[in-house]
Amino acid sequence: MKRYILLLFMLYPLFVAAEAPEKADQDKGFLFFKINRFDKEGQFHGRWKVYHEEDGYLIRKGRFRHGREVGKWKYYYPDGTTYMVERWKPRKGEILVKRYNENGTLNREGKARLDTTGERLRFYWFGDWKVYNENGQYSHTEKF
């Protein structure tokens, strides 16, 4: 019996749900991770959700690994529809980007990079970008 109690006590932190601002939309179901954490060096680490300071709506969500964005990041319009999706590919040094119109249709897609060599961070698009009209139909390609 003591073993079961000890096991439950050790597993309890895994089932604690992370809290979000009252005004923000809540995710359905249980969260088995803690959001908005820092590593030992004080850098962003793990899953993060960023809310608008005054209005409380979700601006973006994704993951950090020791201060660097990794994986999929989603950005939102104030009404909650998707504004942009980024897929960070750190080994390739590129970011796959898709931007959407407010009606939810695809606006443009292409690649970007984050340059960290200078004093400032520089985010820029490169290569061929496909552009779509308001209905989400392919329009043309732009080069950067």
Side-chain angles (χ1 to χ4, degrees):
M1 184 68 169
K2 290 181 182 178
R3 289 183 185 167
Y4 293 115
I5 293 173
L6 181 60
L7 181 63
L8 285 173
F9 181 72
M10 291 173 53
L11 293 176
Y12 179 73
L14 298 174
F15 299 101
V16 176
E19 293 183 10
E22 290 178 16
K23 295 181 185 178
D25 294 334
Q26 300 291 324
D27 288 340
K28 304 291 186 234
F30 293 100
L31 298 176
F32 294 103
F33 55 86
K34 195 171 184 180
I35 59 173
N36 297 5
R37 297 183 296 156
F38 297 91
D39 64 9
K40 292 177 182 178
E41 287 77 39
Q43 297 178 332
F44 301 140
H45 190 72
R47 296 182 190 269
W48 273 73
K49 288 185 178 181
V50 180
Y51 294 91
H52 189 273
E53 189 173 339
E54 294 174 9
D55 298 331
Y57 63 85
L58 182 62
I59 296 173
R60 72 180 188 144
K61 67 178 180 178
R63 279 189 2 228
F64 283 98
R65 184 174 295 134
H66 304 291
R68 303 197 110 183
E69 293 166 312
V70 294
K72 182 177 173 181
W73 277 84
K74 290 181 100 176
Y75 296 76
Y76 299 94
Y77 286 108
D79 67 359
T81 59
T82 302
Y83 166 69
M84 182 169 54
V85 176
E86 296 176 340
R87 291 195 186 273
W88 289 71
K89 307 282 186 177
R91 290 187 180 131
K92 290 185 175 181
E94 63 186 32
I95 307 156
L96 305 177
V97 180
K98 289 185 178 182
R99 292 182 63 182
Y100 296 88
N101 297 312
E102 288 187 59
N103 64 8
T105 59
L106 187 61
N107 179 285
R108 61 182 61 226
E109 62 181 333
K111 295 179 183 179
R113 282 205 173 106
L114 182 64
D115 182 8
T116 58
T117 56
E119 286 183 17
R120 295 182 180 193
L121 294 178
R122 187 172 154 241
F123 182 87
Y124 63 93
W125 296 356
F126 73 95
D128 292 338
W129 275 69
K130 294 180 182 177
V131 180
Y132 301 86
N133 64 19
E134 286 290 321
N135 298 323
Q137 298 168 335
Y138 174 76
S139 172
H140 62 280
T141 300
E142 295 178 350
K143 287 194 177 281
F144 289 92

